[in-house]
Amino acid sequence: MRYYTNTALHLFHSIGCIYPFKPRGLFCINKNQLNLEDTLMTIRYKLCTLLIMLLTASAQAAVNPPIVATPKAKAYFLDTVLWPYKATTKTYNIPVCWEKLSQSTAAERANVVTAIANTWQKYSLARFTGWGQCPLSPLFFNGIRITVDNVGNPMSALGTQGNGKIGVMRLNFRLNTLNKASSDRYYPFSTPQTLFARCRRDNPNTALNICIQSEAIHEFGHILGLAHEQNRPYGFDRPVIPPRGACLLRDDNPNRLPQGTFTTYGNTLFTDYDPNSMMNYCRSLYFGRTDLSVLDKLAIRVYYGQMPSFDSRTRILTIPRIQKYNGTILSGSFNLISGNRFQQSASLKSTTTPSMSPATLYANGVLYVPELKYINAAGHVNQILRATLRTISSGLYQNSWIRTQPTKFLPVQN
């Protein structure tokens, strides 16, 4: 920009833009050489005008440089690495195995299983299965291979990026790894601290097994496709002033993972920024907590809960599970035929499909959908809605819906 600015200034002087101009009709020409037929003067005016615009824009950019959110800096879910739903088990089945059982005790492994059962599995249809010794032959394992690494920091790739790969999912059961000194105003310490000390700094007197549970819950969130919440970009709904100082400045390094480079950022935003997320380093008393936030639970239902969905590309509303007033369990799909009217695609069918967000069909003909995910033209979920469909005639419904998340909708975020 500096090179172009200097060039523009040189041209500005060279073609005589410093001499006085006076308006006349559509053009401005030199008042001492007034000649409407003079084509050269007209060209000079136009060139001067363009140069003035360029110089003005350059000066504004120097004073107020634009804030640009880089494409990678979208966070929350990476929806290209989600684990698939299996109709046979009616779950999102994710096999898990331990690289070497000798690296840990049965009690340590059971501690992790309990932590995941009480969090991600409790609030979704995701099911981590197996938990035995990883097979030695064949080397490929269709699932997550956990390495217990009591020297390094815990880590995990997002979603299916870690499928079958050795060394990508790591847990630390000793937490005696030293972290470098920090000047973070919330976590100042002049000498290196162990991970366990950091956990107890957040939550005094916390037992080691609880700190390990906290670590595991966070890493298994990554396995489900959740990126770090604090890495949401400025310019969207993340506070411009970091609420926890330097924690928002920490960046993920995709090259730290073995067996290649992995995407460590999400690509879709459909909730408000969540300062209380399990995936947020800036969470209050972060290390040692084992509870999911309200938005953590919502997020996991969106992709692993068989939540009703409206696809704006096909204009079809799909409801996997409808609880009818007489106890019947149904499923159905509906076509949006006008701004607020849905036509039932076919008769509602009996189903055994589970859902963490079932709809309800009342005796008065009202179909209530407490939450549904809206899929935009790019194929991403970008908002959560609540819908009420009132029967007009057989199979025809008048719809009204409101957005529940995010509370401040930014269409450009997806």
Side-chain angles (χ1 to χ4, degrees), residues 196-211 288:
F196 187 38
R198 290 294 297 274
C199 180
R200 286 202 161 188
R201 186 180 180 89
D202 279 356
N203 294 277
N205 302 319
T206 302
L208 177 61
N209 69 306
I210 301 301
C211 292

Side-chain angles (χ1 to χ4, degrees), residues 104-382:
S104 58
T105 67
E108 289 171 332
R109 296 191 295 272
N111 185 46
V112 172
V113 174
T114 298
I116 306 310
N118 290 337
T119 50
W120 300 120
Q121 289 191 171
K122 181 177 180 180
Y123 298 104
S124 74
L125 297 174
R127 295 293 180 265
F128 294 94
T129 60
W131 299 100
Q133 170 74 50
C134 290
L136 299 179
S137 181
L139 290 178
F140 182 79
F141 172 75
N142 187 31
I144 298 301
R145 305 176 72 113
I146 305 175
T147 297
V148 176
D149 179 2
N150 292 327
V151 177
N153 287 315
M155 64 175 66
S156 176
L158 296 186
T160 55
Q161 291 183 108
N163 187 16
K165 294 183 173 63
I166 299 173
V168 171
M169 172 63 161
R170 295 171 179 266
L171 296 178
N172 188 321
F173 286 168
R174 298 292 177 268
L175 300 183
N176 54 12
T177 301
L178 289 176
N179 277 346
K180 63 182 180 180
S182 171
S183 59
D184 187 324
R185 64 191 177 92
Y186 285 87
Y187 286 87
F189 50 94
S190 57
T191 57
Q193 283 191 344
T194 65
L195 293 173
F196 187 38
R198 290 294 297 274
C199 180
R200 286 202 161 188
R201 186 180 180 89
D202 279 356
N203 294 277
N205 302 319
T206 302
L208 177 61
N209 69 306
I210 301 301
C211 292
I212 292 170
Q213 284 192 4
S214 179
E215 163 202 346
I217 294 167
H218 178 94
E219 298 306 328
F220 272 84
H222 288 321
I223 290 298
L224 292 167
L226 283 156
H228 283 141
E229 182 73 7
Q230 80 276 359
N231 283 344
R232 284 186 179 224
Y234 292 133
F236 293 107
D237 62 343
R238 195 180 79 177
V240 174
I241 300 176
R244 288 240 349 235
C247 69
L248 282 183
L249 304 179
R250 296 174 189 150
D251 196 13
D252 286 325
N253 178 11
N255 296 314
R256 70 178 182 161
L257 296 173
Q259 298 191 19
T261 299
F262 298 85
T263 300
T264 56
Y265 288 84
N267 67 341
T268 182
L269 297 165
F270 53 84
T271 71
D272 294 336
Y273 170 74
D274 186 6
N276 202 39
S277 172
M278 172 57 73
M279 308 309 296
N280 196 338
Y281 285 162
C282 307
R283 186 185 199 187
S284 176
L285 306 179
Y286 161 74
F287 202 170
R289 291 184 61 170
T290 58
D291 57 317
L292 301 183
S293 72
V294 171
L295 292 184
D296 282 338
K297 297 172 185 176
L298 170 61
I300 204 67
R301 290 197 302 273
V302 166
Y303 289 120
Y304 295 100
Q306 286 290 88
M307 180 181 285
S309 63
F310 175 76
D311 194 326
S312 64
R313 300 165 297 180
T314 60
R315 296 168 65 86
I316 294 177
L317 169 64
T318 303
I319 307 180
R321 188 178 181 89
I322 302 172
Q323 297 177 171
K324 196 174 179 181
Y325 60 89
N326 61 3
T328 305
I329 305 299
L330 308 167
S331 67
S333 59
F334 308 80
N335 295 316
L336 182 62
I337 58 176
S338 66
N340 60 356
R341 289 194 175 188
F342 278 97
Q343 179 70 55
Q344 193 172 300
S345 301
S347 299
L348 299 180
K349 298 180 180 179
S350 177
T351 185
T352 58
T353 298
S355 173
M356 303 301 291
S357 309
T360 302
L361 180 59
Y362 294 98
N364 61 1
V366 172
L367 177 58
Y368 178 64
V369 188
E371 56 186 17
L372 66 92
K373 53 189 177 186
Y374 183 97
I375 302 171
N376 67 7
H380 300 297
V381 176
N382 71 344

